[in-house]
Each structure stands twice: as structure tokens, then as C-alpha cells.
């Protein structure tokens, strides 16, 4: 579809919400309006397309949201959209509202949905990485990750007081789905002694031998950060407590990491990427995912915006080894 044919775009957020999504919506809406396009907001992501839950959006619809967590458009994980039937209903809604192109803000599942719209139905779509997990390729950072890591660190700073005062081992589980990125950042940022991630095998015997050795030389407390995709906190606490005989507690940080006021890096990233997405559509380009690499806007085909390899992992493990 050429740029001249795009008169109206739709915007949706999909999958897990993340801090900064609202800044992304605001940027998409206002950038599109400034190009003379009409904008429709789709409520609850792909499910809203299936259910025909679509609202008109204007300049004021996105006022006072740049600093708000969550997403004003709501979000969902739609099983129905994974079916041909669901996708056809979604297309009928797009057609009914004369939406010519779609901007999707979401994580890997949302990217797969966008890819289906493009590949199976040739529908113009551009995606922005809206997920706390930082697990998409084509971008150094995803919208929400900075804030999620910061929120986890604030919580762990509080837990640290108890860890040290009561001379305990604490296992802290963080989110990340199949990626250890959040855990890696949180472990280094909190000064944790151990990091468990799905990308690297670990051995309870070795971890416990290290703890016992540390104890012999006077160490009194430990923090172990586990990514939810590596091992669940209760399981890790049980394994470590039984083997060492030391009092071991666990905390699952859970959804606290997804909420709250977005930090500056997430607001700014989302704002830049929202505008970049609209730019692409106006230029007649679609089927792309936008991100940043070395702080510059980076565009990759949606078909390759897949799972990211975590290139920092070995460096971070070395840091933990040396500094704790
Ligand atoms: O993708 C973001 C994320 O928060 C993951 O880190 C986590 O595994 C998942 O979403 C949790 O999803 P839900 O809120 O649907 O339980």
C-alpha cells in the first residue's frame, strides 16, 4: 500500500502492560494527527479488533498520560486472535472502520500477531517493542524494561535490610518470561551473590558449596536472584536451604515490576519509537519493527524481530563473581 492510500491508522497495545506504553500511544496519536491522518484506538489489543471495540482518538485523548503506567487502551492476551477465524474477524473490524494501517505496541506474542496480519493478509503494520522483558531483536532496549528493573531494585533494597540484619539467604524471583535479562540487570544492580537465568545451566551443589565456603570466612547473608524462566523461587529456596542448613526465605516480586510511573528512559524511548513508527507508515513502509541500537532509531523487518540473544550475560556473570 502506498503512503497516499493511508488515511487512517489504528493503534493498540497487546500482551503484558508495561510502563511507557502510554507515552508510546501519545506519540503515535499526535504524530499521526500532525501528518493529517485520522487515528483509531483499539481497546484490549487484538481482542478488541475481534470484538469491534474501537474508539476515535484526538489530541486530547492522550493528554496527561505520558507519566502514567499501564495502558489507557487496555491490553489482553488473545487466544482467539491466534486462529484464522479470529484473525478474519479482526480484519473485518479494520475494514469496517476504514483503518488502513496498524501500529502495534507489545512484546514477542504481539509481534507474532502483527506478522500474521502482514504475511497472511498483507495488512500494513508497524510494531514497537512494548515489554518489560527486553527480549526482542532489533533494539537494545524495550519500552518498560528500565522502569521494571528500577522497581525491582527498590524492592530488593528493602529486602536487603532483613537479609543482612537476620543473617539469612534470600531468593528473589523476577519476571522476564523465557529471558534472563531483567534478572541479570537486577542481580548486578542489587549486588546479589548469585544469578539464575534460563540461558545458562546452574548447579545447586556448586552454589551451596560457595555459600558454605563464604560462611566459613565470616559471610553472613546472601541474595540469589532467579529469573522466573530459570527456576521458581520456592524451589530454589528449598534446594538451597536443605543443602546448606541455613535459614532461606524467598520473595516473588511478580506484577509489582510491571506497574508504576515510567522512568525517563522508557518515556523517551516510547516517544521516539511512536513517532518513528508513524514516519515509516507515512513513507509507505510497513511490516517493520522499530527500536534503538546505540541510541539511534533502528528498523528491522517484522519477520526477523524475533528472540534476542543476550550478549551481555557472560560479562554480568563475571561482575557478580568478582564483586561479591
Ligand atoms: O511479558 C511480560 C511479562 O510480565 C513476563 O515477564 C511475564 O512472564 C508475563 O508477562 C506475565 O504475564 P501475565 O500478567 O499475563 O501473568
Amino acid at each position: 500500500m502506498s503512503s497516499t492510500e493511508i488515511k487512517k491508522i489504528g493503534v493498540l497495545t497487546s500482551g503484558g502492560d508495561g510502563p511507557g506504553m502510554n507515552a508510546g500511544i501519545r506519540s503515535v496519536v499526535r504524530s499521526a494527527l500532525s501528518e493529517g491522518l485520522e487515528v483509531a484506538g483499539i481497546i484490549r489489543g487484538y481482542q478488541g479488533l475481534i470484538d469491534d471495540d474501537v474508539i476515535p482518538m484526538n489530541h486530547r485523548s492522550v493528554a496527561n498520560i505520558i507519566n502514567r503506567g499501564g495502558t489507557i487502551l487496555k491490553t489482553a492476551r488473545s487466544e482467539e486472535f491466534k486462529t484464522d477465524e479470529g484473525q478474519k474477524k479482526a480484519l473485518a473490524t479494520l475494514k469496517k472502520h476504514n483503518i488502513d494501517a496498524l501500529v502495534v505496541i507489545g512484546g514477542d506474542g504481539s509481534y507474532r500477531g502483527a506478522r500474521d496480519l502482514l504475511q497472511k493478509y498483507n495488512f500494513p503494520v508497524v510494531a514497537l517493542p512494548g515489554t518489560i522483558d527486553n527480549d526482542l531483536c532489533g533494539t537494545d532496549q524495550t519500552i518498560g524494561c528500565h522502569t521494571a528493573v528500577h522497581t525491582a531494585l527498590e524492592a530488593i533494597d528493602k529486602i536487603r535490610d532483613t537479609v543482612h540484619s537476620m543473617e539469612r539467604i534470600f531468593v528473589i524471583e523476577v519476571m522476564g518470561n523465557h529471558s534472563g535479562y531483567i534478572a541479570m540487570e537486577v542481580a548486578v544492580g542489587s549486588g546479589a551473590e548469585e544469578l539464575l537465568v534460563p540461558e545458562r545451566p546452574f548447579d545447586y551443589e556448586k552454589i551451596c558449596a560457595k555459600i558454605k565456603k563464604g560462611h566459613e570466612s565470616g559471610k553472613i547473608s546472601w541474595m540469589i536472584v532467579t529469573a522466573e524462566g530459570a527456576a521458581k523461587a520456592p524451589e530454589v529456596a528449598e534446594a538451597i536451604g536443605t543443602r546448606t542448613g541455613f535459614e532461606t526465605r524467598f520473595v516473588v516480586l511478580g506484577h509489582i515490576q510491571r506497574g508504576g510511573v515510567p522512568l525517563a528512559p522508557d518515556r523517551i524511548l516510547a516517544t521516539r519509537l511512536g513517532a518513528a513508527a508513524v514516519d515509516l507508515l507515512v513513507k509507505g513502509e510497513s511490516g517493520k519493527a522499530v527500536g534503538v541500537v546505540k541510541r539511534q532509531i533502528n528498523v528491522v523487518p517484522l519477520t526477523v524481530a524475533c528472540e534476542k540473544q543476550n550478549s551481555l550475560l557472560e560479562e554480568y556473570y563475571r561482575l557478580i563473581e568478582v564483586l561479591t
Side-chain angles (χ1 to χ4, degrees):
M1 179 174 283
S2 79
S3 55
T4 49
E5 286 172 282
I6 291 184
K7 294 192 175 66
K8 184 171 181 178
I9 66 163
V11 57
L12 62 81
T13 48
S14 161
D17 57 282
M21 277 184 162
N22 280 328
I25 297 168
R26 172 180 176 272
S27 178
V28 169
V29 171
R30 291 193 174 170
S31 301
L33 293 172
S34 79
E35 292 288 346
L37 304 176
E38 278 184 76
V39 188
I42 291 117
I43 307 297
R44 280 180 220 89
Y46 295 116
Q47 193 58 42
L49 277 182
I50 292 169
D51 299 339
D52 189 8
D53 205 346
V54 178
I55 54 166
M57 298 195 83
N58 59 35
H59 204 82
R60 298 264 52 89
S61 331
V62 289
N64 291 315
I65 65 166
I66 195 165
N67 57 338
R68 280 168 56 190
T71 158
I72 59 159
L73 289 177
K74 310 243 185 292
T75 183
R77 301 188 193 281
S78 175
E79 284 305 313
E80 203 180 344
F81 188 73
K82 292 180 185 159
T83 65
D84 285 347
E85 208 192 1
Q87 290 175 356
K88 283 182 184 139
K89 280 189 201 164
L91 276 158
T93 302
L94 288 165
K95 199 163 170 214
K96 175 178 163 191
H97 293 274
N98 299 314
I99 297 171
D100 305 310
L102 197 60
V103 177
V104 169
I105 307 174
D108 54 351
S110 315
Y111 272 33
R112 282 191 289 278
R115 211 162 53 185
D116 278 353
L117 282 177
L118 172 82
Q119 288 184 328
K120 290 166 73 175
Y121 308 97
N122 199 26
F123 191 85
V125 55
V126 171
L128 323 189
T131 168
I132 63 167
D133 298 336
N134 202 19
D135 58 348
L136 294 167
C137 76
T139 190
D140 289 340
Q141 204 68 30
T142 56
I143 298 162
C145 182
H146 256 110
T147 308
V149 168
H150 182 79
T151 304
L153 288 180
E154 280 188 332
I156 294 173
D157 285 348
K158 293 190 173 71
I159 296 166
R160 179 182 268 284
D161 292 344
T162 298
V163 174
H164 197 71
S165 304
M166 299 196 72
E167 305 182 277
R168 284 174 173 164
I169 300 175
F170 253 88
V171 178
I172 299 145
E173 181 185 315
V174 298
M175 280 189 168
N177 199 8
H178 51 263
S179 164
Y181 188 90
I182 293 177
M184 175 186 96
E185 293 260 292
V186 165
V188 169
S190 65
E193 280 81 5
E194 290 290 341
L195 164 66
L196 310 184
V197 292
E199 295 91 339
R200 204 181 202 246
F202 59 89
D203 180 352
Y204 287 128
E205 300 301 336
K206 276 193 191 153
I207 295 171
C208 292
K210 227 172 110 185
I211 292 174
K212 282 185 194 158
K213 202 167 157 223
H215 186 250
E216 281 160 19
S217 63
K219 191 165 169 54
I220 53 164
S221 59
W222 286 265
M223 289 198 305
I224 300 171
V225 174
T226 181
E228 62 178 351
K232 300 289 181 199
E235 169 201 320
V236 181
E238 169 75 24
I240 305 260
T242 317
R243 283 172 176 81
T244 59
F246 298 142
E247 192 173 6
T248 307
R249 299 288 175 94
F250 69 86
V251 174
V252 179
L253 290 184
H255 288 82
I256 198 167
Q257 294 157 94
R258 282 227 306 250
V261 171
L263 290 182
D266 286 322
R267 298 183 197 194
I268 295 163
L269 177 66
T271 300
R272 292 179 70 198
L273 297 185
V278 171
D279 265 1
L280 284 177
L281 289 173
V282 168
K283 284 185 195 140
E285 287 186 50
S286 75
K288 303 283 165 60
V290 291
V292 281
V293 171
K294 296 192 177 125
R295 294 194 49 85
Q296 301 303 311
I297 297 288
N298 187 54
V299 179
V300 291
L302 255 179
T303 43
V304 302
C306 48
E307 260 179 53
K308 179 155 83 175
Q309 296 300 316
N310 189 346
S311 60
L312 297 173
L313 198 56
E314 291 313 312
E315 182 198 335
Y316 275 51
Y317 264 105
R318 267 197 309 279
L319 284 173
I320 293 168
E321 188 70 36
V322 171
L323 300 179
T324 58

